[in-house]
Amino acid sequence: MLRGEQLKLGYGRTAVVHGVSVTLEPGRVTALIGPNGSGKSTLLRALARLHRVDDGEVLLQDRAVSLLTARQFAREVTLFSQSRQAPHGLTVGEVVSFGRHPHRRRFAGSSPGDRRAIDDAMTATGVREMSDRGVGELSGGEMQRVWLAACLAQETGVVLLDEPTNHLDLRYQIETLDLVRDLADERGVAVGLVLHDLDQAARVADTLLLMRDGRVHAAGDPIDVLTAEHISEVYQLRVEVEADPRTGRIRIDPIGRHPARTMIHPGERTP
């Protein structure tokens, strides 16, 4: 379990997160949502020890993460971030193998466990067939999946993901969301992620934190958080929210200044 208690975060003298608490529990997915500038990515980075905490505390189980060495922390928590640069002159397999670094003894080579974890991670993210390709040949979306594989190869109990579906085509967006659910449901991992797409958040998360101006506007089950009232207040936009009668899935329809294009020709009926 990873949790932040009454976290206050900022950049210089500018406060951006004001006393927010969040708990990531084993086997559950917690998604941080909200408009740009709401503080959700800063909060995620603080949980990953990549942003200074001005006040409050981040705890792994019941131990302050500030007391852990970098290697100890990396064995328990990994962060997928979009800000990583593709290293030149390396293959996909070599980049994914970076994820095993916290588990290796000094100067030791790859163990059978390392090779299994790397292979499993590449298979899960769909990059196994490109393991010998140089990363300089990859598209942005392909490189994103490689970095995700490196995170999975780390085999931690807590996985943090900052907009993991960004820049991916539709197929890999859905496969990434499925992978997030697999981490929680099959491996018992505590997952925390930042998402901009509210439909994706509703699809994958057990718990949502809807943030606004550095504070939690609403938190809880997706059905309770993703209401027309909450979304309209936070995004300053009129929306309609309904549950699909067949699947129960939440559907969010933002209402812009122009009417949506009709998808049915006059005189036709919906199925």
Side-chain angles (χ1 to χ4, degrees):
M1 183 183 296
L2 182 69
R3 68 183 190 272
E5 295 186 348
Q6 293 297 308
L7 297 179
K8 294 183 180 180
L9 313 169
Y11 295 91
R13 295 183 179 181
T14 303
V16 296
V17 173
H18 311 274
V20 170
S21 296
V22 58
T23 299
L24 307 182
E25 301 178 43
R28 293 182 64 83
V29 177
T30 300
L32 311 179
I33 57 175
N36 292 334
S38 60
K40 54 189 183 298
S41 289
T42 302
L43 177 59
L44 194 78
R45 289 177 57 82
L47 294 176
R49 295 206 326 183
L50 295 179
H51 190 95
R52 183 171 63 90
V53 175
D54 295 327
D55 197 11
E57 196 166 32
V58 178
L59 302 166
L60 182 63
Q61 298 295 72
D62 291 316
R63 189 177 183 187
V65 299
S66 58
L67 301 177
L68 303 176
T69 67
R71 182 178 289 269
Q72 287 173 330
F73 187 75
R75 287 175 177 169
E76 303 295 338
V77 181
T78 187
L79 169 69
F80 168 82
S81 173
Q82 297 186 63
S83 60
R84 296 180 179 182
Q85 297 296 316
H88 295 289
L90 295 179
T91 67
V92 167
E94 289 170 334
V95 172
V96 176
S97 71
F98 289 167
R100 299 305 301 166
H101 178 71
H103 301 280
R104 290 175 181 157
R105 291 196 299 269
R106 204 171 193 180
F107 305 120
S110 297
S111 69
D114 292 330
R115 290 190 289 273
R116 176 197 51 77
I118 292 166
D119 189 68
D120 287 349
M122 289 196 293
T123 299
T125 53
V127 301
R128 191 165 180 264
E129 293 183 356
M130 60 177 76
S131 62
D132 294 328
R133 287 178 60 186
V135 294
E137 305 173 16
L138 305 183
S139 69
E142 287 172 332
M143 193 64 223
Q144 185 155 317
R145 288 190 283 132
V146 171
W147 281 126
L148 180 56
C151 290
L152 297 184
Q154 204 166 322
E155 289 190 318
T156 58
V158 180
V159 173
L160 307 175
L161 305 158
D162 191 2
E163 297 186 50
T165 59
N166 201 20
H167 304 306
L168 297 181
D169 63 32
L170 182 60
R171 172 191 169 186
Y172 285 111
Q173 287 181 31
I174 298 305
E175 289 191 359
T176 298
L177 295 177
D178 286 343
L179 180 58
V180 167
R181 282 293 354 155
D182 290 342
L183 288 172
D185 297 338
E186 299 178 8
R187 304 188 189 186
V189 171
V191 181
L193 74 164
V194 168
L195 286 171
H196 272 296
D197 190 308
L198 301 184
D199 288 312
Q200 290 184 359
R203 181 189 187 99
V204 75
D206 299 296
T207 301
L208 294 181
L209 262 70
L210 176 59
M211 297 186 66
R212 179 185 186 186
D213 297 330
R215 294 179 171 84
V216 177
H217 183 85
D221 293 339
I223 193 69
D224 297 321
V225 173
L226 294 177
T227 66
E229 180 181 6
H230 287 322
I231 298 170
S232 296
E233 289 173 348
V234 168
Y235 289 90
Q236 298 295 292
L237 176 72
R238 188 165 71 89
V239 299
E240 294 178 354
V241 179
E242 62 180 8
D244 187 298
R246 184 175 60 86
T247 64
R249 185 176 299 160
I250 299 171
R251 297 190 181 277
I252 300 162
D253 185 17
I255 309 300
R257 293 185 296 106
H258 298 285
R261 300 281 184 177
T262 180
M263 302 301 292
I264 302 172
H265 293 290
E268 291 183 350
R269 293 185 177 181
T270 57

